[in-house]
Amino acid sequence: MPTVQITSEVSTEQLLHSVANLPAHDLEAFVTKVLTLRAKLKAPSISHTEAQLLTQINQGLSAQEQERWTQLEQKRQAETLTPKEHQELLTLNDQMEQLNVVRMQALTTLAFIRQISITTLMQNLGIRTPDYA
């Protein structure tokens, strides 16, 4: 388990500085936990099910995967992808698509639980529709 060395009293900036030194995978896990904590603080009366749905809604590629996807997408646009990189990009696209499916299922379920439309739920959660949608 990764550790962050802190003193008994730390400022937010000191904490951020320590967190910034985490490896990408550990940083992603930390961010997920912080987002779950934030969701609980904003809606302290939500059920365990709703908290799990919010975690699924906020799940994305790891920071490392997202960075790699951006690199490969730039190479695709420049038409300089190798066949191996093209396959890697397709794999990352499949992962993103699967995460979006899970996200939409979680949004649908949470909207049903709260008896509101998906559009209203997305507005409440501050989720914007991508420009390409």
Side-chain angles (χ1 to χ4, degrees):
M1 170 177 244
T3 59
V4 176
Q5 193 171 34
I6 59 173
T7 59
S8 60
E9 288 186 34
V10 294
S11 69
T12 303
E13 291 303 317
Q14 290 171 315
L15 179 60
L16 286 173
H17 178 73
S18 295
V19 170
N21 293 321
L22 290 172
H25 179 270
D26 295 334
L27 176 61
E28 189 65 32
F30 180 79
V31 168
T32 298
K33 289 178 182 177
V34 169
L35 290 174
T36 301
L37 178 61
R38 184 181 76 171
K40 288 179 181 176
L41 290 174
K42 283 190 163 189
S45 63
I46 66 171
S47 68
H48 178 70
T49 300
E50 288 186 66
Q52 286 181 320
L53 291 168
L54 288 168
T55 298
Q56 291 174 347
I57 290 167
N58 288 312
Q59 185 69 44
L61 291 178
S62 70
Q64 182 179 9
E65 290 170 327
Q66 184 65 47
E67 182 178 334
R68 182 64 178 152
W69 181 87
T70 300
Q71 292 170 347
L72 293 171
E73 182 59 22
Q74 289 171 347
K75 289 187 80 172
R76 185 194 64 79
Q77 291 176 3
E79 299 181 6
T80 59
L81 274 179
T82 65
K84 184 178 178 183
E85 289 171 329
H86 182 252
Q87 186 56 48
E88 184 180 1
L89 179 59
L90 291 175
T91 300
L92 288 172
N93 283 339
D94 287 346
Q95 289 175 351
M96 290 174 66
E97 189 172 317
Q98 183 57 38
L99 287 169
N100 283 334
V101 168
V102 171
R103 184 180 205 199
M104 286 307 302
Q105 289 172 335
L107 280 167
T108 302
T109 302
L110 188 56
F112 179 79
I113 290 171
R114 294 185 178 180
Q115 296 295 300
I116 58 177
S117 71
I118 293 175
T119 302
T120 300
L121 177 63
M122 289 175 68
Q123 289 171 345
N124 291 348
L125 297 176
I127 299 172
R128 293 184 347 190
T129 304
D131 294 335
Y132 57 84

